[in-house]
């Protein structure tokens, strides 16, 4: 993008309440059918219209770009277990970005970069995806399981198998002592 084609700075009136070490990477005017706003990609996560807080890159389960619309599916914590969270799909949010600039590229790169480990596993009576994500500004990894529909998260066998699989994945990804 040439110097004369640069998008203007984010207007202060629509700038989200960034943390001291947070910076804007890209932004775009957006509409979602319930009023206009801006989508702001920062080094810490994604700010969406109507949300008072950003969604961390590690908390986005899925993001798709149609060429006109950005759809984001956030993770919703369901239960906290020893060393990991059980998450489910939150409601997908779709925003029309008429002049998207670098927002879709930043979303894809940042969400992808946050994933350190991901693997689908067969579990008693179903399946689920275990993931380890990098959290911006935090050392270590954040571990989650997202059970597939029909898998009982409360079943004792499912929980025991999940505990064992997460423990094995953590051990396999732990840095070796140097």
């Amino acid at each position: 993008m040439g110097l004369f084609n640069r998008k203007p700075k984010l207007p202060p009136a629509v700038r989200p309440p960034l943390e001291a070490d947070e910076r804007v990477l890209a932004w775009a005017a957006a509409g979602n059918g319930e009023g206009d706003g801006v989508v702001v990609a920062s080094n810490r996560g994604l700010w969406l219209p109507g949300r008072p807080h950003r969604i961390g890159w590690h908390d986005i389960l899925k993001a798709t770009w149609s060429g006109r619309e950005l759809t984001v599916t956030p993770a919703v914590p369901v239960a906290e277990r020893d060393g990991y969270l059980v998450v489910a799909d939150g409601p997908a949010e779709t925003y029309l970005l008429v002049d998207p600039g670098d927002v879709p590229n930043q979303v894809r790169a940042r969400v992808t970069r946050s994933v350190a480990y991901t693997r689908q596993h067969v579990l008693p009576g179903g399946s689920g995806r275990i993931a380890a994500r990098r959290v911006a500004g935090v050392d270590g990894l954040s571990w989650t399981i997202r059970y597939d529909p029909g898998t009982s998260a409360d079943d004792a066998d499912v929980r025991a198998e999940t505990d064992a699989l997460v423990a094995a994945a953590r051990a396999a990804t732990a840095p070796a002592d140097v």
Side-chain angles (χ1 to χ4, degrees), residues 1-12 14-15 24-29 38-40 99-103:
M1 186 179 272
L3 181 62
F4 297 106
N5 295 331
R6 290 189 128 162
K7 185 176 251 185
K9 253 182 124 171
L10 181 63
V14 295
R15 187 177 181 85
V24 173
L25 303 173
W27 68 277
V38 293
V39 171
V40 177
D99 182 15
D102 201 33
V103 169

Side-chain angles (χ1 to χ4, degrees), residues 93-108:
E93 300 177 35
T94 299
Y95 300 91
L96 174 66
L97 305 182
V98 177
D99 182 15
D102 201 33
V103 169
N105 293 332
Q106 285 293 332
V107 170
R108 180 182 175 147

Side-chain angles (χ1 to χ4, degrees), residues 43-62:
N43 59 314
R44 303 292 297 270
L46 191 63
W47 293 88
L48 297 171
R51 283 182 167 260
H53 304 285
R54 80 174 119 67
I55 303 173
W57 297 118
H58 65 287
D59 288 326
I60 297 175
L61 289 178
K62 183 178 180 183

Side-chain angles (χ1 to χ4, degrees), residues 56-75:
W57 297 118
H58 65 287
D59 288 326
I60 297 175
L61 289 178
K62 183 178 180 183
T64 59
W65 173 243
S66 72
R68 288 183 45 87
E69 292 180 326
L70 177 67
T71 301
V72 178
T73 304

